[in-house]
Amino acid sequence: SSDVCSSDLMETTILDELLKIPADATSAVVMGVTMQVIDPVQAQKMLDTDPEDKHVHECVLANGRFLFVCENGILRSLYKVSRDPR
């Protein structure tokens, strides 16, 4: 969605930080939040809980697929979606 964390600056900052994470990383800390790895099924469940895309945001980048949750412009949680093993 375009209003990630209701601020373009916040979105840019998060994207910049996500892009610094190595593609094979299983742990990282972004803006004080520890990244967790989840599988595609868990990711879809998270997205399904927020059909209006208000809190759960998805980013597909060159180094991976990420989901993050923001509240009031603050990053609350960050997930990296593991590659489908198939």
Side-chain angles (χ1 to χ4, degrees), residues 42-86:
Q42 288 171 294
Q44 193 55 53
K45 281 183 186 162
M46 279 183 64
L47 291 167
D48 289 346
T49 62
D50 185 29
E52 292 176 10
D53 201 23
K54 283 190 171 27
H55 305 288
V56 181
H57 304 286
E58 180 177 23
C59 267
V60 180
L61 304 169
N63 58 338
R65 178 181 168 206
F66 301 91
L67 297 185
F68 54 94
V69 178
C70 288
E71 282 172 24
N72 303 322
I74 298 166
L75 184 65
R76 294 289 181 196
S77 49
L78 172 65
Y79 306 92
K80 180 178 182 180
V81 183
S82 61
R83 288 193 182 82
D84 208 322
R86 277 175 291 180

Side-chain angles (χ1 to χ4, degrees), residues 21-22 24-29 34-35 37:
I21 300 171
D24 57 355
T26 53
S27 66
V29 178
T34 302
M35 179 180 82
V37 178

